[in-house]
Amino acid sequence: MSTELLDHAPVPLKWVGPVRVTGNVMEGEQLVPLATYEQPLWPSVGRGAKMSMLVPDGIKATLIDERMSRSVLFEADDAGVALKALHEIQAHMHLLQEVVATSSRFARLIDLHAQIAGNLLFLRFELTTGDASGHNMVTLASERLMDFILRRWPELRYESISGNFCSDKKATAVNGILGRGKNVVTELVLPRRTVERWLRSTPEKIAQLNVRKNLIGTMLAGGLRTGNAHYANMLLGFFLATGQDAANIVEGSQGITHAEVRDGDLYFSCTLPNLIVGSVGNGKGLDFIEANLARLGCKEDREPGANARRLAVLCAATVLCGELSLMAAQTNQGELMASHLKLERAAN
Amino acid sequence: MSTELLDHAPVPLKWVGPVRVTGNVMEGEQLVPLATYEQPLWPSVGRGAKMSMLVPDGIKATLIDERMSRSVLFEADDAGVALKALHEIQAHMHLLQEVVATSSRFARLIDLHAQIAGNLLFLRFELTTGDASGHNMVTLASERLMDFILRRWPELRYESISGNFCSDKKATAVNGILGRGKNVVTELVLPRRTVERWLRSTPEKIAQLNVRKNLIGTMLAGGLRTGNAHYANMLLGFFLATGQDAANIVEGSQGITHAEVRDGDLYFSCTLPNLIVGSVGNGKGLDFIEANLARLGCKEDREPGANARRLAVLCAATVLCGELSLMAAQTNQGELMASHLKLERAAN
Amino acid sequence: MSTELLDHAPVPLKWVGPVRVTGNVMEGEQLVPLATYEQPLWPSVGRGAKMSMLVPDGIKATLIDERMSRSVLFEADDAGVALKALHEIQAHMHLLQEVVATSSRFARLIDLHAQIAGNLLFLRFELTTGDASGHNMVTLASERLMDFILRRWPELRYESISGNFCSDKKATAVNGILGRGKNVVTELVLPRRTVERWLRSTPEKIAQLNVRKNLIGTMLAGGLRTGNAHYANMLLGFFLATGQDAANIVEGSQGITHAEVRDGDLYFSCTLPNLIVGSVGNGKGLDFIEANLARLGCKEDREPGANARRLAVLCAATVLCGELSLMAAQTNQGELMASHLKLERAAN
Amino acid sequence: MSTELLDHAPVPLKWVGPVRVTGNVMEGEQLVPLATYEQPLWPSVGRGAKMSMLVPDGIKATLIDERMSRSVLFEADDAGVALKALHEIQAHMHLLQEVVATSSRFARLIDLHAQIAGNLLFLRFELTTGDASGHNMVTLASERLMDFILRRWPELRYESISGNFCSDKKATAVNGILGRGKNVVTELVLPRRTVERWLRSTPEKIAQLNVRKNLIGTMLAGGLRTGNAHYANMLLGFFLATGQDAANIVEGSQGITHAEVRDGDLYFSCTLPNLIVGSVGNGKGLDFIEANLARLGCKEDREPGANARRLAVLCAATVLCGELSLMAAQTNQGELMASHLKLERAAN
C-alpha cells in the first residue's frame, strides 16, 4: 500500500445565527458553524435563526434520550441453543455491566436487545458514553463482552464484532425505534405575522406543504422513518464544523418534520432521533475543532455528557432553522431557484 | 441574520492506492483521495487497493446507468383531473424536452415518472446532466417545466418545486429502483491464496459473513435497499476530497455487497446504484478541488459526461477497497479493534 | 405425502352497502360482499357506504394504471456481461412481445425493468393480463421469455423463474413505484354537517388524526409506502368473497389515506396502487364465486379487462368506506371499543 | 345502512402432512390444514412435510418470544411536556399493570415503549394475552390505560386509541424489532441425498438461490424486514383454516429464510417474528374452527398460552414446508410452471 501527499480539504465554513434555544438541556443564544461546499445553506439557516430570535422563547429543544449501540453476531448450532444462551446472558446483565465498566471510565451498559434468525444470534449492546459519540467506546466494550460471552457460553461461536443490527451509517429502522445517538425534538411557534412578513408564506401553506411533500411525498418515494425536506444538509455542515463522524448523517437525517396551524400561528417541529455527536473523542484532536467546540460552549467543565448534549441540541436547532426556511421558500413558486441563483452570482 | 468569521474546516486528506480498474468506462491505475476525520479509513482502503494491484485485471467497474432527477408537486381538484392532465403531459414529452433544452446546454430530459395520491400529482423528471451532478440543473429545468405545465394545464396548481419523490439525500427506495446518479457495479475476483495471505481470511469466511451480517443483519435492522458494512465512510471521504455535495452519501450508501466463493476463489462485488457525483458545477470552483479532480484524470477534454463517469467509477472502486478490507478484518475476532488502536496510537 | 378430508372453511360473508361510485371506470350503486371472521367490519364498512349515498356523486374512483409483473433472475460472469446482454434484450423488445403473445391470448408485454447487482441480472416483465389478476399468465409468459433469452444470450444462465423483484405478496417498495395490479384512487367529499351528524366527528378532527396516526405514526413504526388505518381488513374480506388470491393483501394494503379540510368540508381519499384482482382465472371456478362476481356486475360481456377494472374500483371504494368509518370512530375516546363490544354481544 | 343475504365463502380446505416437529413447545407429528383458493399450495406444502418425516428429528421449532401490542396516541403542548409525563408514567409501571389486570383475567402488561415526535406522544403497550391472539384484549386494556393516564396526567390529551405504532396489519419494521405475536424459528437439516432424490435439487443450489433471490432480490425490491419466497401463501391458508384474523398475514409474512450448506447437507430455516395467532377469541366460535383446533391438539387443558404456542409452532412448521418445496422447485428451470399446470389440469 502506498500513500502520499498528506493534506487537507478546506471545506468553507461560516458561523450563522445566533439561534435562540430553550429546553431541558440549555437556554441561550448561540452562533452555529456550518462547513459546506453549498453556499445557499448559510443564508437559509440564517433566516431560520433570525426567526428564533423574533420569538421570546426561541426554539424549544428537548433531549428525549441518549445511547450508543453496537451489535455483535454469534453463530449457534440452532435457534434453540441460541435462545437458551440468550436467556442466560440476559440473566447475567450485571456481569456484562461489570465487563463494560472495565473497558472505559465513561461506558455504561444500559440495555440489551437481541434478534435470533435461524441459528444466528445478534446482541445489540446499548451504552451511554459520556461526552463521546462513542463509536470506539462501544466497539471496545463489545469486544470485551464477546470475549466474556464466548468463554462462558462455548456453544456460541464468534461470527462478527458487528452484525449490522447496530446499525451504523445505514438507512435502517432500528435506530429510531431502539435509539442510537441523541434523540432531540426541536419546536418553534411562530406568529402568523412573522411567517407572513419574514418568510413570505402563511402557517396554512407551510403546514399543508409539510403533509403533502415531507409526509406523503416521502412515503411515495418509499421513505423509511424519514419525512423532511433536507436535514442532511444542515447535519453535514454542522458535523464537519465540529469534528463529528459525518458519515452518521445517513441515519441522522432520518427524522420527521411536523407542522400545524395552532390558533392561527405556525407550530413547526423537527424530530431527530439519531443524532450521533460528541464533544470529545475521534476527530476532536484538531485545533480548529477544539476552537469551534469551545466557541459553542461545549468544552466547559460539566458533568460527563453535558457538553455533548448541548452540542446535540444546538445541532438540532440548526436543523430546524434550515428546514423552516426551505419549506417556506418552497411554498412560493420560483423562490427557491431565484435565491440560489442570486447567491451563486454574489459568490462569483 | 448575522454571520461572521468566514473560514474553513481543514478535513485531513490522504491519497491512497493506487487502485487498478478496468471496465466500460476506464482502464488503469489511479491513486484516490479520501478526506476524513477517521484515520483508520486510509490504511483500510489502502489494503483493498493493494488487493486490486495483485490481480491482473484489478477491479472491474461497470457503469450501468446515469441520470439525475427532480420531482415537482401539483395539486388538482381530484385524481381524475390529475390523471387526465398526466396523460396529456406524457403525450407532449417532446415539448417538455424542448423546454428542458432551453434551460441548459447539457440538460436532456430522458424519462418521466408520475405518482398520483389522492388529488396530488407528483412528476419525477429524469435528466442527463453532462459532467455535473446536476442538482441545480434539474431544479432549473423543473422550474421551467412547471411554468410550462401550469400555463398549459391550468387545472393543475403549484404546490412545490420539490415533492420528495426525487428523492434527494433521503433514505428512500425510489432512487435505487428508478435511478438517480451513476449506477456502478464494482467486482473483484481474488485468488484464495491472496485472501489468505494478505487479508488473513478465506473466501468462505468472507462470503459467509457477507450473508449473515450485510444481508441478514441489515434486514433485521429494517434496512432499506442496503446491505453493506460501511460504504458511507468511503463515500464521505471521496466526496469531500472531490468537491461533491457530500450529503448525498445518504442515498449513495444504499448499496449491496455480494460475495461468493467461485472455484475456490473469492468473488466480491459492490453495487452502488446512487452515486451522485460530478466533475463540474457547485463546489468545484475551489482550487484544491480542481487540482484533485485533475489529478484523478477527471478534467480531461472528453465528451460531456465522460469525466464524471470516470469519477464515479473511481469512487465505486474506492468503496470496494474499503468494504473488502473491513469485511476481511471482521472475520477475525479482535482484529478490528486492534488495528484501530494501533493506528490511533501511531497518530498520536 | 398424505392428505385427507377435502373440505372447506366457511368464512362468514355479508353484502354491505350499497356504495355509490363514479369515475373513469363505472358509475352506479352496488352492494359489496365481505367474507371475514371479524364481524365489526360489516357495520363499519356499511356506515362508510351510507356516507357515499348521502352525497350526489358518491365516491369518485379513478383507475390510474394496471399491469402485472414477474421478475426472472439470470446469472452472468460479471456485471459487464449482464449489462451488454440487457442492452441487447432491450433492443429486441418487439421479439419479447411476440414471445409473450404466443403464451396467452390476453397477455401483452408493456414494459421491462432491470436491476443488476454484482453478476446478477433481474428482469421485471410487466404485462397487461385482461380480466385475470395474471399470476399464472405472467409466470407462463416469463418461462417462455426465459427460454427465448437463454437460447439467444447463452452468456446468461438460469437462476430462477422468480427473483423477488416482482414482487408477489411481500412488503416491498417496488410495486408502488413501478406498478403491479390495479392502481386506484378513491375520493369522497363529505359536507361538514354529514360528518358531524353521521360520523359524530368533524372534518378537522379526521384530517388531523390522519396526519398524526396514519402518516406520522406509521412513519415512526418504520412503515413502507403505507399510511392507513386498516386497508388490510377490507381487502381480505373483499378478496375472499370474490375468489382472489387473498395473500395479495400484503402489498394491497400498502396504500395512503389523505384527508384535508376543504372549504369547511371533509376531503377524504384512499390511494391503493397495488390491487391485484381479477374476474376470471384461478379461484374463480367455484360456483359461489361466479355468483358473487355476477352480482357485482363483473361477469358482463365487455372488452377484456373491463370486468376486472370494475371489480378493482368496487374493492377500492369498499376500502374507503371502512377506512373513513374507523378513522371517524377513533377521533372519539371510547367509541371503538364500545362499538366492538356491542357488536360482539349482539352476535352471541 | 342496508345489508342482506348473510352467507359464507366456502374456501377449499385440505389437511396436509403429517409434519414432524420438535422443539421447546412441542414434539410430535401432526397433519396441518390449509384453506385456500390456490390448489398447488397443498402438494407443495405436502412435499415439505414429507421431508420433515424423512429426518428423525423433523423440523425443529423454537418459540423465541410472545407478546401483543397496541399503541395509543396523546397530544401535548410540546415535546418537553410529553417527555415529563412519559418519565412519570414509566415510573408508575406497577400502576399501569394493575389497570391492565382489571381489564382481563389473561392480560398482563410486560413492557412499554414510547416515541415522541414533535408534541405527539405514542405509547406502545406490550401484553401477554394467554391463548388469545389478543387484538381485543390489548384494545380494551389500552382504553383503560388511556382513561387512567388522561385522568392522572391532564397535560396529555386524547388523540387516538391507535397511533399506528402498534402496528396491526401493516408493512412496518416495529413489530419485528420490538415483537408482536409469536416469534418462531423453524429449522430443518436435510441430508444431501434426500435433497437430491426428493427435491431434485442440491444443498448448494438451494442455499445459493436463497441468497440471490430471497435476500438480494428482495432487497432490490425495497423489501422491509422480509426475505422469503412465499410465506404469505402458507400463512393465509393456515389462518383461514384455524379462525385467525388472516389480515395479520401482512406482518406475519415479514420473515427471513436462511439456508446454508452444512457438512454437505442442507440447513434450511424460516424465521417468523410476527405470528399473530390464538386458539381462543374472535373467529373461534364457529364449529368447524373449534373442530380444526381440536384436531390440531390446540384445545387441550393446558396452562394459559400453551395451546396458542402449539398453534404458532405448527403454523411456522407449515411455512417451512411450503417454503422449502418452492425454493427447491425454482432451482430447476421449468419445474414451477409444469407442476402448476399439472395440478390445475388434474383439478378440472
Side-chain angles (χ1 to χ4, degrees):
Chain A
M1 177 187 60
S2 81
T3 62
E4 53 173 331
L5 271 179
L6 181 56
D7 203 351
H8 63 266
V11 186
L13 182 152
K14 254 195 187 170
W15 289 80
V16 177
V19 182
R20 185 171 292 161
V21 181
T22 64
N24 64 352
V25 170
M26 64 164 283
E27 314 271 331
E29 300 169 15
Q30 177 65 54
L31 288 176
V32 292
L34 291 165
T36 178
Y37 297 132
E38 312 297 317
Q39 301 181 42
L41 189 64
W42 293 325
S44 179
V45 171
R47 185 166 76 150
K50 183 182 181 72
M51 297 306 100
S52 79
M53 297 297 289
L54 294 175
V55 178
D57 288 342
I59 292 169
K60 176 143 199 214
T62 304
L63 186 130
I64 306 288
D65 187 62
E66 61 179 318
R67 66 189 63 211
M68 188 59 177
S69 64
R70 172 66 61 196
S71 78
V72 298
L73 173 49
F74 298 100
E75 176 196 55
D77 279 351
D78 59 41
V81 172
L83 180 65
K84 188 163 167 294
L86 170 61
H87 284 163
E88 293 172 13
I89 291 168
Q90 287 170 326
H92 291 80
M93 187 70 176
H94 60 290
L95 290 183
L96 303 187
Q97 288 173 323
E98 284 173 23
V99 169
V100 169
T102 69
S103 73
S104 155
R105 197 153 50 101
F106 297 107
R108 201 160 57 86
L109 180 65
I110 57 171
D111 212 344
L112 171 66
H113 279 88
Q115 290 272 320
I116 293 175
N119 61 321
L120 305 173
L121 171 63
F122 296 76
L123 292 186
R124 187 184 200 262
F125 301 120
E126 301 179 5
L127 286 75
T128 52
T129 57
D131 280 309
S133 60
H135 297 82
N136 285 343
M137 214 182 286
V138 296
T139 303
L140 182 57
S142 295
E143 204 168 85
R144 299 267 175 97
L145 287 164
M146 281 196 103
D147 285 346
F148 174 78
I149 289 169
L150 287 166
R151 269 199 310 273
R152 200 156 173 139
W153 288 275
E155 65 270 32
L156 300 180
R157 294 182 290 275
Y158 174 86
E159 177 69 27
S160 181
I161 182 67
S162 165
N164 276 25
F165 188 66
C166 316
S167 66
D168 195 46
K169 305 165 183 169
K170 291 168 191 87
T172 68
V174 69
N175 292 337
I177 291 171
L178 294 183
R180 195 170 198 255
K182 317 297 192 219
N183 182 340
V184 184
V185 176
T186 47
E187 301 167 287
L188 181 65
V189 178
L190 217 53
R192 168 177 297 273
R193 278 182 40 210
T194 307
V195 176
E196 291 172 350
R197 175 167 179 198
W198 293 101
L199 297 176
R200 292 184 299 281
S201 188
T202 65
E204 287 77 10
K205 277 190 189 174
I206 292 175
Q208 174 180 284
L209 179 61
N210 187 59
V211 169
R212 292 178 170 186
K213 165 197 168 78
N214 284 344
L215 303 185
I216 293 178
T218 309
M219 271 193 182
L220 291 173
L224 183 65
R225 273 192 66 94
T226 195
N228 64 75
H230 71 139
Y231 288 9
N233 285 329
M234 283 73 76
L235 291 177
L236 177 70
F238 195 94
F239 278 24
L240 290 178
T242 59
Q244 309 307 316
D245 190 342
N248 282 121
I249 65 169
V250 175
E251 64 268 59
S253 64
Q254 288 179 281
I256 298 177
T257 297
H258 177 40
E260 292 187 343
V261 182
R262 192 182 275 187
D263 302 328
D265 296 333
L266 174 66
Y267 168 83
F268 192 88
S269 73
C270 296
T271 298
L272 292 132
N274 304 123
L275 274 181
I276 297 177
V277 297
S279 60
V280 300
N282 220 23
K284 310 305 176 306
L286 303 166
D287 288 345
F288 89 98
I289 294 293
E290 291 297 311
N292 287 358
L293 289 171
R295 192 167 168 198
L296 284 166
C298 295
K299 298 301 283 189
E300 305 293 310
D301 185 20
R302 299 192 176 100
E303 58 160 352
N307 280 323
R309 286 191 287 273
R310 179 184 171 91
L311 192 64
V313 156
L314 287 171
C315 180
T318 305
V319 168
L320 183 143
C321 294
E323 181 77 358
L324 173 61
S325 186
L326 181 66
M327 287 298 288
Q330 294 197 356
T331 63
N332 296 318
Q333 195 185 343
E335 180 174 327
L336 180 65
M337 205 64 221
S339 63
H340 265 252
L341 293 177
K342 194 177 70 176
L343 288 161
E344 276 153 31
R345 269 196 302 271
N348 296 322
Chain B
M1 179 188 59
S2 81
T3 62
E4 50 172 334
L5 273 180
L6 181 57
D7 203 351
H8 63 265
V11 185
L13 182 151
K14 254 196 188 169
W15 289 80
V16 176
V19 182
R20 184 171 294 160
V21 182
T22 64
N24 64 353
V25 170
M26 64 166 282
E27 314 271 330
E29 301 169 15
Q30 177 65 53
L31 289 174
V32 291
L34 290 165
T36 178
Y37 297 133
E38 312 298 318
Q39 302 181 41
L41 189 63
W42 293 325
S44 179
V45 171
R47 184 166 75 150
K50 183 182 182 69
M51 296 306 100
S52 78
M53 298 296 290
L54 293 175
V55 179
D57 288 341
I59 292 169
K60 176 142 199 214
T62 305
L63 187 130
I64 307 289
D65 186 62
E66 61 178 318
R67 64 189 63 212
M68 188 60 177
S69 64
R70 170 66 62 197
S71 78
V72 298
L73 173 49
F74 298 99
E75 175 196 59
D77 279 351
D78 60 41
V81 171
L83 180 64
K84 189 164 167 293
L86 170 61
H87 285 162
E88 292 173 14
I89 291 167
Q90 288 170 324
H92 291 79
M93 188 71 176
H94 59 290
L95 290 184
L96 301 188
Q97 287 173 323
E98 284 174 24
V99 169
V100 168
T102 69
S103 73
S104 155
R105 199 152 50 101
F106 297 106
R108 201 160 57 86
L109 180 66
I110 57 171
D111 212 344
L112 170 67
H113 280 88
Q115 289 273 319
I116 294 175
N119 61 320
L120 305 173
L121 171 62
F122 298 75
L123 293 185
R124 187 184 199 262
F125 301 120
E126 301 179 5
L127 286 74
T128 53
T129 58
D131 280 309
S133 62
H135 297 84
N136 286 343
M137 214 183 284
V138 294
T139 303
L140 182 57
S142 295
E143 203 168 86
R144 298 266 175 97
L145 287 164
M146 281 196 104
D147 285 346
F148 174 78
I149 290 170
L150 288 166
R151 270 200 309 273
R152 197 154 175 141
W153 288 276
E155 64 271 31
L156 300 180
R157 293 182 291 276
Y158 174 86
E159 179 68 27
S160 181
I161 182 68
S162 165
N164 276 24
F165 188 66
C166 314
S167 66
D168 194 46
K169 303 163 185 169
K170 292 168 191 88
T172 68
V174 69
N175 291 338
I177 292 171
L178 294 183
R180 194 168 198 257
K182 317 297 192 219
N183 182 340
V184 184
V185 176
T186 47
E187 301 166 288
L188 181 65
V189 178
L190 217 51
R192 168 177 298 272
R193 279 180 40 209
T194 308
V195 176
E196 290 172 350
R197 175 166 180 200
W198 293 101
L199 297 176
R200 292 184 298 281
S201 190
T202 66
E204 287 77 11
K205 278 191 190 173
I206 292 175
Q208 176 180 284
L209 179 61
N210 188 59
V211 169
R212 293 178 170 187
K213 165 198 168 78
N214 284 344
L215 302 185
I216 294 178
T218 309
M219 270 193 181
L220 291 173
L224 183 65
R225 272 194 66 95
T226 195
N228 63 75
H230 72 138
Y231 288 8
N233 285 330
M234 283 73 78
L235 291 177
L236 178 71
F238 194 95
F239 279 24
L240 290 177
T242 59
Q244 309 307 317
D245 190 342
N248 282 121
I249 65 169
V250 175
E251 65 266 60
S253 63
Q254 288 180 281
I256 298 177
T257 297
H258 177 40
E260 292 187 341
V261 181
R262 193 183 275 188
D263 301 329
D265 297 333
L266 174 66
Y267 168 82
F268 192 87
S269 72
C270 296
T271 299
L272 292 132
N274 305 125
L275 274 181
I276 297 177
V277 298
S279 61
V280 300
N282 221 23
K284 309 305 175 307
L286 303 166
D287 287 346
F288 89 97
I289 294 294
E290 291 296 312
N292 287 358
L293 290 170
R295 192 168 168 200
L296 283 166
C298 295
K299 299 300 285 188
E300 303 294 310
D301 186 19
R302 299 192 176 100
E303 58 160 350
N307 280 321
R309 285 191 288 271
R310 178 182 170 92
L311 191 65
V313 156
L314 287 171
C315 179
T318 305
V319 167
L320 184 143
C321 294
E323 181 77 357
L324 172 62
S325 185
L326 182 65
M327 288 297 289
Q330 294 198 356
T331 62
N332 297 318
Q333 194 185 343
E335 179 173 328
L336 181 67
M337 205 65 221
S339 63
H340 266 253
L341 292 177
K342 194 177 71 176
L343 288 160
E344 275 153 30
R345 268 196 302 272
N348 295 321
Chain C
M1 176 187 60
S2 80
T3 61
E4 52 173 330
L5 271 178
L6 181 56
D7 202 350
H8 63 265
V11 186
L13 182 152
K14 253 195 186 171
W15 288 81
V16 177
V19 183
R20 184 172 291 161
V21 181
T22 65
N24 64 353
V25 170
M26 64 164 283
E27 314 270 331
E29 301 169 17
Q30 178 65 52
L31 288 175
V32 291
L34 291 165
T36 178
Y37 297 133
E38 311 298 317
Q39 300 182 41
L41 188 64
W42 293 325
S44 178
V45 172
R47 184 166 77 151
K50 183 185 181 72
M51 296 305 99
S52 79
M53 297 296 289
L54 293 175
V55 178
D57 289 341
I59 292 169
K60 176 141 201 213
T62 305
L63 187 130
I64 307 289
D65 186 62
E66 61 178 319
R67 66 189 62 211
M68 188 61 177
S69 64
R70 171 66 64 196
S71 78
V72 298
L73 173 49
F74 298 99
E75 177 196 56
D77 280 350
D78 60 40
V81 171
L83 180 65
K84 187 164 168 292
L86 171 61
H87 285 164
E88 293 172 14
I89 291 168
Q90 287 171 325
H92 291 79
M93 188 71 176
H94 60 290
L95 289 184
L96 303 187
Q97 288 174 322
E98 283 173 25
V99 170
V100 169
T102 69
S103 74
S104 154
R105 197 152 51 100
F106 296 107
R108 201 159 59 85
L109 180 66
I110 57 171
D111 212 343
L112 170 67
H113 280 88
Q115 291 272 319
I116 293 175
N119 61 321
L120 305 173
L121 170 63
F122 297 76
L123 294 185
R124 187 185 200 260
F125 302 120
E126 301 179 5
L127 287 75
T128 52
T129 57
D131 281 308
S133 60
H135 297 82
N136 285 343
M137 214 182 284
V138 294
T139 303
L140 182 57
S142 295
E143 205 169 83
R144 298 266 176 98
L145 287 164
M146 282 196 104
D147 285 346
F148 174 78
I149 290 169
L150 288 166
R151 270 199 309 272
R152 198 155 174 141
W153 288 276
E155 65 271 31
L156 300 180
R157 295 181 291 275
Y158 174 88
E159 177 70 27
S160 181
I161 181 67
S162 164
N164 276 25
F165 188 67
C166 314
S167 68
D168 196 45
K169 304 163 183 171
K170 292 169 191 85
T172 68
V174 69
N175 292 337
I177 290 172
L178 294 183
R180 194 169 198 255
K182 317 296 192 220
N183 182 339
V184 184
V185 176
T186 47
E187 301 167 286
L188 181 65
V189 178
L190 217 51
R192 170 176 296 273
R193 279 182 41 209
T194 307
V195 176
E196 290 173 350
R197 177 169 178 196
W198 293 101
L199 297 176
R200 292 184 299 281
S201 189
T202 65
E204 286 78 11
K205 279 190 191 175
I206 291 174
Q208 175 179 284
L209 178 61
N210 188 60
V211 169
R212 294 177 170 187
K213 165 197 169 78
N214 284 345
L215 302 186
I216 293 177
T218 309
M219 270 192 184
L220 291 173
L224 182 67
R225 273 194 65 95
T226 195
N228 64 74
H230 71 139
Y231 288 8
N233 286 329
M234 283 73 77
L235 291 177
L236 177 70
F238 194 94
F239 278 24
L240 290 178
T242 60
Q244 309 307 317
D245 189 341
N248 282 121
I249 66 169
V250 174
E251 64 266 61
S253 63
Q254 288 178 281
I256 299 177
T257 297
H258 177 40
E260 292 186 343
V261 181
R262 192 181 276 188
D263 302 329
D265 296 333
L266 174 66
Y267 167 82
F268 192 89
S269 74
C270 296
T271 299
L272 292 132
N274 305 123
L275 274 180
I276 298 177
V277 297
S279 61
V280 301
N282 221 23
K284 309 307 177 304
L286 303 165
D287 288 346
F288 90 98
I289 294 292
E290 291 295 312
N292 287 358
L293 290 171
R295 191 168 168 197
L296 283 166
C298 295
K299 299 302 282 189
E300 304 295 310
D301 185 19
R302 299 190 176 102
E303 57 159 352
N307 280 322
R309 286 191 287 272
R310 177 183 172 92
L311 191 65
V313 156
L314 287 171
C315 179
T318 304
V319 168
L320 184 143
C321 293
E323 182 77 356
L324 172 62
S325 186
L326 182 66
M327 287 297 288
Q330 294 197 356
T331 63
N332 297 316
Q333 194 186 346
E335 181 174 326
L336 180 66
M337 205 65 221
S339 63
H340 266 252
L341 292 176
K342 195 176 72 177
L343 287 160
E344 275 153 30
R345 269 198 301 274
N348 296 322
Chain D
M1 176 186 59
S2 80
T3 63
E4 51 173 330
L5 274 178
L6 181 57
D7 202 350
H8 63 266
V11 186
L13 183 152
K14 253 197 188 170
W15 288 80
V16 177
V19 182
R20 185 171 292 160
V21 181
T22 65
N24 64 352
V25 169
M26 65 166 282
E27 313 271 332
E29 301 169 15
Q30 177 65 54
L31 288 175
V32 292
L34 291 165
T36 179
Y37 298 133
E38 312 298 317
Q39 299 182 43
L41 189 63
W42 293 325
S44 177
V45 172
R47 184 166 77 151
K50 183 183 182 71
M51 296 307 99
S52 79
M53 297 297 290
L54 293 175
V55 178
D57 289 341
I59 293 169
K60 176 140 200 216
T62 304
L63 187 130
I64 307 289
D65 186 62
E66 61 179 318
R67 63 188 65 211
M68 187 62 177
S69 65
R70 170 66 63 196
S71 78
V72 299
L73 173 48
F74 298 99
E75 176 196 57
D77 279 352
D78 60 42
V81 171
L83 180 65
K84 187 164 168 293
L86 170 62
H87 285 163
E88 293 173 15
I89 291 168
Q90 287 171 325
H92 289 80
M93 188 71 176
H94 60 290
L95 289 184
L96 302 187
Q97 288 174 322
E98 284 174 24
V99 169
V100 168
T102 69
S103 74
S104 155
R105 198 149 51 99
F106 297 106
R108 201 160 59 86
L109 180 66
I110 57 171
D111 212 343
L112 171 67
H113 281 88
Q115 290 273 319
I116 293 176
N119 62 321
L120 305 174
L121 172 63
F122 296 77
L123 293 185
R124 186 183 201 262
F125 302 121
E126 300 179 5
L127 287 75
T128 53
T129 58
D131 281 310
S133 60
H135 297 82
N136 285 342
M137 214 182 284
V138 294
T139 303
L140 182 57
S142 295
E143 203 168 86
R144 298 267 175 97
L145 287 164
M146 282 196 103
D147 285 348
F148 173 78
I149 289 169
L150 287 166
R151 270 199 310 272
R152 197 153 174 144
W153 288 277
E155 65 271 31
L156 300 180
R157 294 181 291 275
Y158 174 87
E159 178 68 27
S160 180
I161 181 68
S162 164
N164 276 25
F165 188 67
C166 314
S167 67
D168 195 46
K169 303 163 184 171
K170 292 167 191 88
T172 68
V174 70
N175 292 336
I177 291 171
L178 295 183
R180 193 168 199 256
K182 317 296 191 221
N183 182 340
V184 184
V185 176
T186 47
E187 301 167 286
L188 181 65
V189 178
L190 217 51
R192 169 177 296 273
R193 278 181 40 209
T194 308
V195 176
E196 291 172 351
R197 174 168 181 198
W198 294 102
L199 297 177
R200 293 184 298 281
S201 188
T202 66
E204 288 76 12
K205 279 190 188 175
I206 292 175
Q208 175 180 284
L209 179 62
N210 188 59
V211 169
R212 294 177 169 187
K213 165 198 169 78
N214 285 344
L215 302 185
I216 294 178
T218 309
M219 270 193 181
L220 292 173
L224 183 66
R225 272 193 66 95
T226 196
N228 64 75
H230 73 138
Y231 288 8
N233 285 329
M234 283 72 78
L235 291 176
L236 178 71
F238 194 93
F239 278 24
L240 290 177
T242 60
Q244 309 307 317
D245 190 342
N248 283 121
I249 66 169
V250 174
E251 64 267 60
S253 63
Q254 289 179 279
I256 298 178
T257 297
H258 177 40
E260 292 186 343
V261 181
R262 194 182 276 189
D263 301 328
D265 296 333
L266 174 66
Y267 168 82
F268 193 88
S269 73
C270 297
T271 298
L272 293 132
N274 305 124
L275 274 181
I276 298 177
V277 297
S279 62
V280 300
N282 221 24
K284 309 305 176 307
L286 303 165
D287 287 347
F288 90 98
I289 294 293
E290 291 295 312
N292 287 357
L293 290 170
R295 192 168 168 198
L296 284 165
C298 296
K299 300 300 285 187
E300 303 295 310
D301 185 20
R302 298 191 176 101
E303 58 161 350
N307 280 321
R309 286 191 287 272
R310 178 183 172 91
L311 191 64
V313 157
L314 287 171
C315 180
T318 305
V319 167
L320 183 143
C321 294
E323 182 76 357
L324 172 61
S325 185
L326 182 65
M327 287 297 289
Q330 295 197 356
T331 61
N332 297 317
Q333 195 186 342
E335 180 173 327
L336 181 67
M337 205 65 221
S339 64
H340 266 252
L341 292 177
K342 192 176 73 175
L343 288 160
E344 275 153 31
R345 269 198 302 273
N348 297 319

